[in-house]
Amino acid sequence: MNTEVPPGSPAPPAPESALSVPPTPGSPSSSLSPAHQYAATRRSGLLATAGLVATTAVWGSTFLVVKDAIASVPVLDFLGLRFAVACAAMLAVRPRALAGLGRGGWRHGVLLGLVLAAGYAAQTFGLRTASASVSGFITGLFVVFTPLIGAVLLRRRVPPAVWAAVALATVGLALISLHGLSIGRGELLTVVGAFFFALHIVGLGEWSHRHDAYALAVVQIGTVAAVSLLLAVISHGSSGGRILTLPPNASSWAAVAVTALLGTAAGFFLQTWSQARMPATRAAVVLTMEPVFAGVTGVLAGETLAVRGWIGAALVLAAMYAVELGPRRR
């Protein structure tokens, strides 16, 4: 957010953000000189950025893995297993991780988990008909939605460059996903997923620095697992089938393991930890590397993207970076 101050007026107080959380009294950083505190903050920011980039590499490269897995396992069953395994693994590593979270941490974690569950359900159902490359690029629209949601929910001013980016991203999205005069169902579901991911980024940016990152990630992941498994059981019960469909072969179980341990347990811990050290809009820009990794992985695996699709992808990426880099450069 860039708020101009009239000449001669006192500077407004810095907004509370994950990047500028004051050190607690008695902590090692509270006794450091300003220069050392700046260096420590800069190192922390670089580590946070590196953590997010590593996370996007895993997320982007698993689009194809998920697409193959849901060909043999229903979407909700796959999501339930994936997040349940991730939650169990995290609790096995730190059995008392939730002991000191507190009521506020549980409330924030569950709310973030519900939003995340909606995002993953929409994105994964969309992958049934959308290609991994297209799904990856459309998912990246969360970087455009993030400042817009911040403006509505947090009353933050949206600069003109953001509105220009929204228009640019809309054109790019049309080039990628329009089939004739109608948008494909899979692409539309992926846009819905991108909106929920943006809402998750905004919420995580506001709450992550208030709680232990590991515990907050466990609650989020556990909430997604519970919601997905509950909906899976309900859907199977209404159709008279089995309670839960398990992966039928080793490759499907491998997909569950990879996405659970790397994409979910490690990925969401890194995201939660990193977003406690940078503003939400900056985190969203770093996370746009996910569709880049997804597109490259899809093409390397043999997927094709038409020329207009590549043009649309370039426009979407340009919009993503304009959201943050344009206002920052001014």
Side-chain angles (χ1 to χ4, degrees), residues 288-303:
T288 57
M289 289 301 296
E290 178 185 357
V292 175
F293 284 117
V296 171
T297 304
V299 171
L300 290 176
E303 289 190 350

Side-chain angles (χ1 to χ4, degrees), residues 32-271:
L32 296 176
S33 67
H36 285 116
Q37 287 186 26
Y38 172 79
T41 301
R42 182 174 176 81
R43 282 194 300 270
S44 179
L46 291 174
L47 285 174
T49 300
L52 280 186
V53 171
T55 300
T56 61
V58 175
W59 287 349
S61 62
T62 55
F63 272 81
L64 279 175
V65 175
V66 174
K67 187 173 179 64
D68 291 340
I70 60 176
S72 57
V73 182
V75 170
L76 292 173
D77 301 62
F78 175 79
L79 288 176
L81 288 171
R82 168 184 174 174
F83 281 85
V85 170
C87 185
M90 295 185 76
L91 288 176
V93 172
R94 284 182 57 184
R96 296 185 54 81
L98 303 177
L101 186 57
R103 183 178 300 177
W106 276 95
R107 182 174 65 253
H108 293 156
V110 170
L111 287 174
L112 290 170
L114 292 174
V115 172
L116 199 58
Y120 266 98
Q123 183 197 58
T124 310
F125 273 112
L127 264 174
R128 296 173 67 179
T129 54
S131 71
S133 303
V134 169
S135 178
F137 279 112
I138 296 177
T139 298
L141 285 173
F142 58 70
V143 77
V144 178
F145 291 140
T146 298
L148 300 180
I149 293 173
V152 174
L153 297 183
L154 305 178
R155 301 182 182 276
R156 292 175 179 165
R157 185 179 66 87
V158 179
V162 173
W163 295 116
V166 170
L168 193 64
T170 302
V171 174
L173 174 61
L175 290 174
I176 294 174
S177 54
L178 279 181
H179 306 294
L181 296 179
S182 61
I183 187 171
R185 181 172 179 269
E187 289 84 356
L188 184 60
L189 282 171
T190 309
V191 173
V192 175
F195 172 82
F196 280 109
F197 289 141
L199 190 59
H200 177 260
I201 291 171
V202 172
L204 200 58
E206 289 297 303
W207 296 332
S208 59
H209 63 278
R210 305 182 189 181
H211 313 290
D212 176 68
Y214 197 94
L216 193 62
V218 171
V219 175
Q220 293 176 74
I221 292 169
T223 300
V224 178
V227 171
S228 300
L229 290 173
L230 177 62
L231 293 178
V233 170
I234 292 174
S235 65
H236 287 305
S238 62
S239 61
R242 64 182 65 184
I243 295 179
L244 197 66
T245 301
L246 298 177
N249 48 50
S251 62
S252 298
W253 276 111
V256 171
V258 169
T259 55
L261 300 179
L262 295 180
T264 305
F268 283 104
F269 166 67
L270 279 176
Q271 184 191 10

Side-chain angles (χ1 to χ4, degrees), residues 2 161 281 285 318-330:
N2 294 324
T281 51
V285 170
M320 294 173 190
Y321 285 94
V323 166
E324 174 71 3
L325 298 185
R328 184 176 295 277
R329 187 173 291 113
R330 286 201 307 275

Side-chain angles (χ1 to χ4, degrees), residues 11 30 172 318:
S30 62

